Amino acid sequence: MLDTQTPGENGLQSFRISGRRVYTRQFDQLYYKRLDELKPLVLDQAKRRWDSTKVKLTPKVLNVEGPSLTYIVGTIFIDSDAKPSTLDEVERTHWIADPLVTGGKYRDSSETVHLEDESGRIRLVGKELAKATVASGIVAAVLGAETPTGEFDVAEMCFAGMPPHDQSLTPKQTEDRYVAFVSGFNATIEQPVTLEMQLLAEYIVGNLGTSDTQKACAQIVQVVVAGGLMELPAPPLGHTEDPKVNDRHAAANLVAQIDEYLADIAASVPLAVMPGKGDPADVSIPQQPINRHMFFQCRQYSGFASTTNPAWLSVDGVEILGTAGQNIDDLKHYTTNGESACLLAAESLRWRHIAPTAPDTLWCYPFTERDPFILEHSPHVYFIGNQQAADAAWAAAESAGGGSEAADCTGTRVLTVPVFKDSHQIVLLNLRNMECTTVCIGRK
């Protein structure tokens, strides 16, 4: 029996913001909550790894003294001239800042890397730091020693590690059943539904291909659209009396056509739609669901769900976590070793935080009571939408000795979903064995 839940049900972590949204709060509480919750987990990993070597913890970063080997715990902060400035962006765009417009790398020769806790901060240096995959906002334990100039020479780093799976959710599938992931339709007013999109709908509902292809399509039990539904025209800047500039009928018509297109899919198979960059939803994460009134036809079907971004889903006991890609796209700006999107997604599971760069360079809601991006348990599947190419990997828990071991003997299947408008590809995940297949839709 197919069991699909919306986020927050049956114990699933929720990214919904309840009640009135208040954007006037400061973000310091979010950082305090993150450090407060992750520090004990990081300390546990550090003690298991380093206490056997008789290296001891220095409780506060400002208490580090002398060249003796020690380890400290705090939040990484990277500062450089290459990082975007929100104030500069606001001034440049006449007080209307776009958090999604960013440049290239955020790291260059001007950068400084610090580790912060409640007492203050200390600068991190060393060759091992250059090799590590890190970004602002990660809570980490750092092994090393103070240099004569008062900096901390990094010898090794460790993180909170992947949490265990939720034992109340166990995969039940013994037959081949598939979840189809697609992202980045990026429909426009000029071309709302392309030929490839039409072919995709025909493929999913089983009206395309040979009898074997149609039989395989009948095994698709869930479709997930991971953001990038449409490219709406930018609203007019400031106040204008020109009725042509203020006319939004074309945009409304685009929304209606996308609704009609998705309804053809929702009529045959359960469909979950996640907002993404450019979609009619919040620009800050977690993006709240696209208003159901924009899906007049889709909402007639019980299997349709408009979800948050990020979102949790459970399909037949398989717990799935996914984003539309903004969190990984922002992490790419911090990479120095050519890490792929799939690798960054796997690393974020080991950091136990899927959006560490929020709110520094990734806009997010100013939470004060919790940090919803901290992982309480590992998903069976973690997908990232709107990437350059399809990819898949296994993320395994890190052992105390620094090696890898499967989390609960299974780990997490990490997969990236390409932009459909460019690739004409979707990703099929087999719920029985977690194998991924890429299907190309369109003309050869």
Side-chain angles (χ1 to χ4, degrees), residues 271-306:
L271 173 67
V273 176
M274 173 186 292
K277 178 181 177 181
D279 290 326
D282 317 60
V283 292
S284 58
I285 62 169
Q287 288 180 289
Q288 298 304 286
I290 299 175
N291 195 302
R292 287 179 62 88
H293 291 285
M294 293 189 179
F295 299 110
F296 177 77
Q297 296 187 48
C298 285
R299 66 184 184 182
Q300 310 301 321
Y301 301 101
S302 60
F304 172 76
S306 181

Side-chain angles (χ1 to χ4, degrees), residues 17 25 51 97 104 112 119 182 219 251 296 301 328 345 356 401 408 432 440:
I17 301 172
R25 301 166 178 152
D51 277 9
T112 56
S119 67
V182 61
Q219 297 172 316
F296 177 77
Y301 301 101
I328 300 301
D408 300 341
R432 179 178 62 83
C440 186

Side-chain angles (χ1 to χ4, degrees), residues 152-346:
F152 195 80
D153 189 9
V154 177
E156 194 177 345
M157 304 179 75
C158 82
F159 309 99
M162 289 176 60
H165 290 301
D166 185 348
Q167 297 303 315
S168 66
L169 291 169
T170 305
K172 312 168 186 175
Q173 200 52 251
T174 58
E175 301 177 351
D176 290 335
R177 296 276 186 97
Y178 295 90
V179 177
F181 296 95
V182 61
S183 67
F185 288 138
N186 295 335
T188 63
I189 290 174
E190 294 75 21
Q191 195 173 26
V193 180
T194 64
L195 173 61
E196 288 76 18
M197 289 173 62
Q198 294 173 350
L199 292 174
L200 172 61
E202 293 295 318
Y203 172 81
I204 290 175
V205 302
N207 293 336
L208 194 67
T210 64
S211 58
D212 289 340
T213 300
Q214 294 175 356
K215 183 179 178 181
C217 292
Q219 297 172 316
I220 297 176
V221 295
Q222 178 74 48
V223 176
V224 178
V225 180
L229 280 177
M230 60 193 79
E231 293 180 350
L232 290 172
L237 187 64
H239 177 72
T240 177
E241 299 292 343
D242 188 347
K244 293 183 178 179
V245 174
N246 287 320
D247 185 10
R248 308 296 286 173
H249 285 90
N253 185 56
L254 171 61
V255 172
Q257 291 187 71
I258 293 299
D259 174 36
E260 181 180 3
Y261 168 76
L262 294 176
D264 290 338
I265 299 175
S268 299
V269 62
L271 173 67
V273 176
M274 173 186 292
K277 178 181 177 181
D279 290 326
D282 317 60
V283 292
S284 58
I285 62 169
Q287 288 180 289
Q288 298 304 286
I290 299 175
N291 195 302
R292 287 179 62 88
H293 291 285
M294 293 189 179
F295 299 110
F296 177 77
Q297 296 187 48
C298 285
R299 66 184 184 182
Q300 310 301 321
Y301 301 101
S302 60
F304 172 76
S306 181
T307 77
T308 57
N309 169 35
W312 287 89
L313 297 170
S314 179
V315 182
D316 213 14
V318 176
E319 191 174 22
I320 302 173
L321 170 64
T323 80
Q326 295 101 313
N327 59 328
I328 300 301
D329 289 342
D330 199 57
L331 282 173
K332 291 177 186 176
H333 295 296
Y334 290 88
T335 59
T336 58
N337 302 309
E339 294 90 339
S340 67
C342 217
L343 187 147
L344 290 172

Side-chain angles (χ1 to χ4, degrees), residues 65-226:
E65 293 181 359
S68 299
L69 200 62
T70 185
Y71 64 90
I72 51 180
V73 178
T75 305
I76 295 172
F77 178 75
I78 300 175
D79 191 20
S80 78
D81 295 339
K83 285 176 67 175
S85 168
T86 301
L87 292 178
D88 290 345
E89 183 66 15
V90 168
E91 183 178 3
R92 184 180 65 81
T93 57
H94 304 281
W95 307 99
I96 301 178
D98 184 354
L100 301 176
V101 177
T102 55
K105 296 293 184 181
Y106 293 165
R107 304 180 66 177
D108 59 15
S109 58
S110 70
E111 76 176 27
T112 56
V113 183
H114 295 90
L115 194 71
E116 301 178 334
D117 67 5
E118 304 90 339
S119 67
R121 61 166 57 173
I122 188 170
R123 183 174 179 181
L124 305 180
V125 296
K127 294 181 180 179
E128 292 303 316
L129 178 63
K131 298 177 185 177
T133 301
V134 293
S136 282
I138 299 170
V139 177
V142 183
L143 176 71
E146 188 181 27
T147 68
T149 56
E151 298 164 333
F152 195 80
D153 189 9
V154 177
E156 194 177 345
M157 304 179 75
C158 82
F159 309 99
M162 289 176 60
H165 290 301
D166 185 348
Q167 297 303 315
S168 66
L169 291 169
T170 305
K172 312 168 186 175
Q173 200 52 251
T174 58
E175 301 177 351
D176 290 335
R177 296 276 186 97
Y178 295 90
V179 177
F181 296 95
V182 61
S183 67
F185 288 138
N186 295 335
T188 63
I189 290 174
E190 294 75 21
Q191 195 173 26
V193 180
T194 64
L195 173 61
E196 288 76 18
M197 289 173 62
Q198 294 173 350
L199 292 174
L200 172 61
E202 293 295 318
Y203 172 81
I204 290 175
V205 302
N207 293 336
L208 194 67
T210 64
S211 58
D212 289 340
T213 300
Q214 294 175 356
K215 183 179 178 181
C217 292
Q219 297 172 316
I220 297 176
V221 295
Q222 178 74 48
V223 176
V224 178
V225 180

Side-chain angles (χ1 to χ4, degrees), residues 335-406:
T335 59
T336 58
N337 302 309
E339 294 90 339
S340 67
C342 217
L343 187 147
L344 290 172
E347 286 296 319
S348 70
L349 296 177
R350 299 185 185 102
W351 301 332
R352 210 176 284 209
H353 199 287
I354 60 172
T357 59
D360 184 23
T361 52
L362 178 64
W363 281 24
C364 76
Y365 182 77
F367 293 96
T368 57
E369 301 299 324
R370 64 188 178 109
D371 184 344
F373 308 111
I374 295 175
L375 290 175
E376 298 173 358
H377 51 269
S378 290
H380 298 114
V381 179
Y382 181 31
F383 69 86
I384 308 296
N386 298 286
Q387 299 304 299
Q388 292 182 349
D391 196 6
W394 280 102
E398 189 174 286
S399 66
S404 294
E405 59 185 9

